[in-house]
Amino acid sequence: MLPQVFTEITNSLSEPHFLLTKDGTIISANRAARKKFSLPDTIAETLNLATLMNQGAQKLKPLLHMWLRSKSPLPASIVFKARQDAPDHYLCKGNTLRSASNGESALIMLQCTNKKQSTAVFVALNQKIEQLTREIVERRNAEKEVRLLNQELERRV
């Protein structure tokens, strides 16, 4: 039931989203993930995220361990195999969606953002922060100058 709900909710999102078991088996993937990674509409329970990654299982195991211990999304850089034989770098945030309890296994939600796109967003955000910082400094300097002029004017009067 949860995989169906997960897919229905995440299908409208433009970024790839996966629902994984604690060993990295993909039990659900949204439309963006299926399209990007050429996955079938119905995910077989034998498909593991490691098969989509350039680094494979040796990179995935510590990431799964990290994500299983976190309730809030933790980022990691993953290089996926691309369809045109060129790797795609993604910033993936994963966290426990459901902890293991009552005989149910833990589930991990993984959101992946193209690293180039996320880098561009951070660059634009940093530029805006720098611009606002400069404006604040300029405004404070202007306010200081006005205070000094007012003090000088009061002194003259």
PDB file of all heavy atoms in Angstrom, residues 121-136:
ATOM      1  N   VAL A 121      21.391  26.752  -8.681  1.00  0.00           N
ATOM      2  CA  VAL A 121      20.485  27.381  -7.720  1.00  0.00           C
ATOM      3  C   VAL A 121      21.283  27.971  -6.565  1.00  0.00           C
ATOM      4  O   VAL A 121      21.043  29.108  -6.142  1.00  0.00           O
ATOM      5  CB  VAL A 121      19.440  26.364  -7.208  1.00  0.00           C
ATOM      6  CG1 VAL A 121      18.685  26.909  -6.007  1.00  0.00           C
ATOM      7  CG2 VAL A 121      18.494  25.975  -8.322  1.00  0.00           C
ATOM      8  N   PHE A 122      22.268  27.213  -6.041  1.00  0.00           N
ATOM      9  CA  PHE A 122      23.072  27.713  -4.932  1.00  0.00           C
ATOM     10  C   PHE A 122      23.927  28.907  -5.349  1.00  0.00           C
ATOM     11  O   PHE A 122      24.104  29.847  -4.574  1.00  0.00           O
ATOM     12  CB  PHE A 122      23.951  26.604  -4.353  1.00  0.00           C
ATOM     13  CG  PHE A 122      23.197  25.671  -3.455  1.00  0.00           C
ATOM     14  CD1 PHE A 122      23.004  24.356  -3.814  1.00  0.00           C
ATOM     15  CD2 PHE A 122      22.650  26.121  -2.272  1.00  0.00           C
ATOM     16  CE1 PHE A 122      22.291  23.494  -3.002  1.00  0.00           C
ATOM     17  CE2 PHE A 122      21.942  25.275  -1.444  1.00  0.00           C
ATOM     18  CZ  PHE A 122      21.755  23.951  -1.813  1.00  0.00           C
ATOM     19  N   VAL A 123      24.440  28.893  -6.567  1.00  0.00           N
ATOM     20  CA  VAL A 123      25.230  30.028  -7.054  1.00  0.00           C
ATOM     21  C   VAL A 123      24.349  31.270  -7.113  1.00  0.00           C
ATOM     22  O   VAL A 123      24.732  32.346  -6.639  1.00  0.00           O
ATOM     23  CB  VAL A 123      25.853  29.716  -8.435  1.00  0.00           C
ATOM     24  CG1 VAL A 123      26.396  30.970  -9.086  1.00  0.00           C
ATOM     25  CG2 VAL A 123      26.957  28.678  -8.301  1.00  0.00           C
ATOM     26  N   ALA A 124      23.147  31.133  -7.675  1.00  0.00           N
ATOM     27  CA  ALA A 124      22.225  32.267  -7.757  1.00  0.00           C
ATOM     28  C   ALA A 124      21.832  32.750  -6.362  1.00  0.00           C
ATOM     29  O   ALA A 124      21.770  33.962  -6.117  1.00  0.00           O
ATOM     30  CB  ALA A 124      20.986  31.882  -8.553  1.00  0.00           C
ATOM     31  N   LEU A 125      21.580  31.826  -5.461  1.00  0.00           N
ATOM     32  CA  LEU A 125      21.223  32.191  -4.088  1.00  0.00           C
ATOM     33  C   LEU A 125      22.368  32.919  -3.403  1.00  0.00           C
ATOM     34  O   LEU A 125      22.155  33.950  -2.746  1.00  0.00           O
ATOM     35  CB  LEU A 125      20.840  30.934  -3.306  1.00  0.00           C
ATOM     36  CG  LEU A 125      20.378  31.126  -1.866  1.00  0.00           C
ATOM     37  CD1 LEU A 125      19.151  32.015  -1.808  1.00  0.00           C
ATOM     38  CD2 LEU A 125      20.096  29.783  -1.228  1.00  0.00           C
ATOM     39  N   ASN A 126      23.594  32.429  -3.562  1.00  0.00           N
ATOM     40  CA  ASN A 126      24.755  33.098  -2.964  1.00  0.00           C
ATOM     41  C   ASN A 126      24.957  34.490  -3.543  1.00  0.00           C
ATOM     42  O   ASN A 126      25.320  35.425  -2.821  1.00  0.00           O
ATOM     43  CB  ASN A 126      26.012  32.253  -3.147  1.00  0.00           C
ATOM     44  CG  ASN A 126      26.048  31.087  -2.179  1.00  0.00           C
ATOM     45  OD1 ASN A 126      25.438  31.135  -1.127  1.00  0.00           O
ATOM     46  ND2 ASN A 126      26.748  30.036  -2.556  1.00  0.00           N
ATOM     47  N   GLN A 127      24.732  34.648  -4.842  1.00  0.00           N
ATOM     48  CA  GLN A 127      24.857  35.974  -5.459  1.00  0.00           C
ATOM     49  C   GLN A 127      23.829  36.938  -4.876  1.00  0.00           C
ATOM     50  O   GLN A 127      24.137  38.096  -4.607  1.00  0.00           O
ATOM     51  CB  GLN A 127      24.695  35.877  -6.982  1.00  0.00           C
ATOM     52  CG  GLN A 127      25.869  35.228  -7.672  1.00  0.00           C
ATOM     53  CD  GLN A 127      25.609  34.979  -9.144  1.00  0.00           C
ATOM     54  OE1 GLN A 127      24.471  34.977  -9.609  1.00  0.00           O
ATOM     55  NE2 GLN A 127      26.683  34.748  -9.881  1.00  0.00           N
ATOM     56  N   LYS A 128      22.606  36.463  -4.682  1.00  0.00           N
ATOM     57  CA  LYS A 128      21.557  37.295  -4.106  1.00  0.00           C
ATOM     58  C   LYS A 128      21.901  37.665  -2.667  1.00  0.00           C
ATOM     59  O   LYS A 128      21.704  38.816  -2.249  1.00  0.00           O
ATOM     60  CB  LYS A 128      20.214  36.546  -4.157  1.00  0.00           C
ATOM     61  CG  LYS A 128      19.049  37.402  -3.781  1.00  0.00           C
ATOM     62  CD  LYS A 128      18.841  38.522  -4.767  1.00  0.00           C
ATOM     63  CE  LYS A 128      17.603  39.316  -4.443  1.00  0.00           C
ATOM     64  NZ  LYS A 128      17.446  40.481  -5.308  1.00  0.00           N
ATOM     65  N   ILE A 129      22.443  36.721  -1.904  1.00  0.00           N
ATOM     66  CA  ILE A 129      22.844  37.009  -0.521  1.00  0.00           C
ATOM     67  C   ILE A 129      23.938  38.078  -0.497  1.00  0.00           C
ATOM     68  O   ILE A 129      23.894  39.007   0.309  1.00  0.00           O
ATOM     69  CB  ILE A 129      23.306  35.722   0.191  1.00  0.00           C
ATOM     70  CG1 ILE A 129      22.098  34.810   0.441  1.00  0.00           C
ATOM     71  CG2 ILE A 129      24.033  36.018   1.494  1.00  0.00           C
ATOM     72  CD1 ILE A 129      22.450  33.424   0.917  1.00  0.00           C
ATOM     73  N   GLU A 130      24.922  37.957  -1.388  1.00  0.00           N
ATOM     74  CA  GLU A 130      25.994  38.953  -1.460  1.00  0.00           C
ATOM     75  C   GLU A 130      25.438  40.325  -1.826  1.00  0.00           C
ATOM     76  O   GLU A 130      25.842  41.341  -1.256  1.00  0.00           O
ATOM     77  CB  GLU A 130      27.046  38.521  -2.480  1.00  0.00           C
ATOM     78  CG  GLU A 130      27.899  37.362  -2.016  1.00  0.00           C
ATOM     79  CD  GLU A 130      28.857  36.868  -3.099  1.00  0.00           C
ATOM     80  OE1 GLU A 130      29.046  37.572  -4.114  1.00  0.00           O
ATOM     81  OE2 GLU A 130      29.412  35.771  -2.911  1.00  0.00           O
ATOM     82  N   GLN A 131      24.500  40.362  -2.777  1.00  0.00           N
ATOM     83  CA  GLN A 131      23.886  41.619  -3.184  1.00  0.00           C
ATOM     84  C   GLN A 131      23.139  42.256  -2.012  1.00  0.00           C
ATOM     85  O   GLN A 131      23.287  43.458  -1.743  1.00  0.00           O
ATOM     86  CB  GLN A 131      22.934  41.396  -4.354  1.00  0.00           C
ATOM     87  CG  GLN A 131      22.189  42.652  -4.779  1.00  0.00           C
ATOM     88  CD  GLN A 131      21.105  42.341  -5.804  1.00  0.00           C
ATOM     89  OE1 GLN A 131      20.948  41.214  -6.243  1.00  0.00           O
ATOM     90  NE2 GLN A 131      20.355  43.360  -6.173  1.00  0.00           N
ATOM     91  N   LEU A 132      22.363  41.469  -1.291  1.00  0.00           N
ATOM     92  CA  LEU A 132      21.617  41.988  -0.145  1.00  0.00           C
ATOM     93  C   LEU A 132      22.563  42.457   0.960  1.00  0.00           C
ATOM     94  O   LEU A 132      22.309  43.487   1.609  1.00  0.00           O
ATOM     95  CB  LEU A 132      20.659  40.926   0.390  1.00  0.00           C
ATOM     96  CG  LEU A 132      19.470  40.600  -0.513  1.00  0.00           C
ATOM     97  CD1 LEU A 132      18.704  39.402   0.037  1.00  0.00           C
ATOM     98  CD2 LEU A 132      18.554  41.790  -0.668  1.00  0.00           C
ATOM     99  N   THR A 133      23.646  41.736   1.170  1.00  0.00           N
ATOM    100  CA  THR A 133      24.637  42.137   2.173  1.00  0.00           C
ATOM    101  C   THR A 133      25.233  43.491   1.816  1.00  0.00           C
ATOM    102  O   THR A 133      25.370  44.366   2.683  1.00  0.00           O
ATOM    103  CB  THR A 133      25.742  41.070   2.288  1.00  0.00           C
ATOM    104  OG1 THR A 133      25.130  39.821   2.638  1.00  0.00           O
ATOM    105  CG2 THR A 133      26.762  41.440   3.347  1.00  0.00           C
ATOM    106  N   ARG A 134      25.587  43.672   0.547  1.00  0.00           N
ATOM    107  CA  ARG A 134      26.126  44.973   0.105  1.00  0.00           C
ATOM    108  C   ARG A 134      25.113  46.097   0.317  1.00  0.00           C
ATOM    109  O   ARG A 134      25.458  47.187   0.777  1.00  0.00           O
ATOM    110  CB  ARG A 134      26.533  44.918  -1.377  1.00  0.00           C
ATOM    111  CG  ARG A 134      27.849  44.220  -1.633  1.00  0.00           C
ATOM    112  CD  ARG A 134      28.341  44.452  -3.066  1.00  0.00           C
ATOM    113  NE  ARG A 134      27.371  44.046  -4.084  1.00  0.00           N
ATOM    114  CZ  ARG A 134      27.278  42.825  -4.606  1.00  0.00           C
ATOM    115  NH1 ARG A 134      28.086  41.871  -4.211  1.00  0.00           N
ATOM    116  NH2 ARG A 134      26.371  42.560  -5.533  1.00  0.00           N
ATOM    117  N   GLU A 135      23.847  45.828  -0.023  1.00  0.00           N
ATOM    118  CA  GLU A 135      22.805  46.836   0.153  1.00  0.00           C
ATOM    119  C   GLU A 135      22.618  47.204   1.618  1.00  0.00           C
ATOM    120  O   GLU A 135      22.421  48.372   1.960  1.00  0.00           O
ATOM    121  CB  GLU A 135      21.489  46.348  -0.450  1.00  0.00           C
ATOM    122  CG  GLU A 135      21.510  46.306  -1.968  1.00  0.00           C
ATOM    123  CD  GLU A 135      20.238  45.706  -2.555  1.00  0.00           C
ATOM    124  OE1 GLU A 135      19.268  45.448  -1.802  1.00  0.00           O
ATOM    125  OE2 GLU A 135      20.224  45.482  -3.783  1.00  0.00           O
ATOM    126  N   ILE A 136      22.685  46.222   2.489  1.00  0.00           N
ATOM    127  CA  ILE A 136      22.545  46.485   3.929  1.00  0.00           C
ATOM    128  C   ILE A 136      23.702  47.350   4.416  1.00  0.00           C
ATOM    129  O   ILE A 136      23.505  48.312   5.170  1.00  0.00           O
ATOM    130  CB  ILE A 136      22.455  45.161   4.720  1.00  0.00           C
ATOM    131  CG1 ILE A 136      21.115  44.483   4.449  1.00  0.00           C
ATOM    132  CG2 ILE A 136      22.661  45.386   6.212  1.00  0.00           C
ATOM    133  CD1 ILE A 136      21.012  43.060   4.962  1.00  0.00           C
TER     134      ILE A 136
END
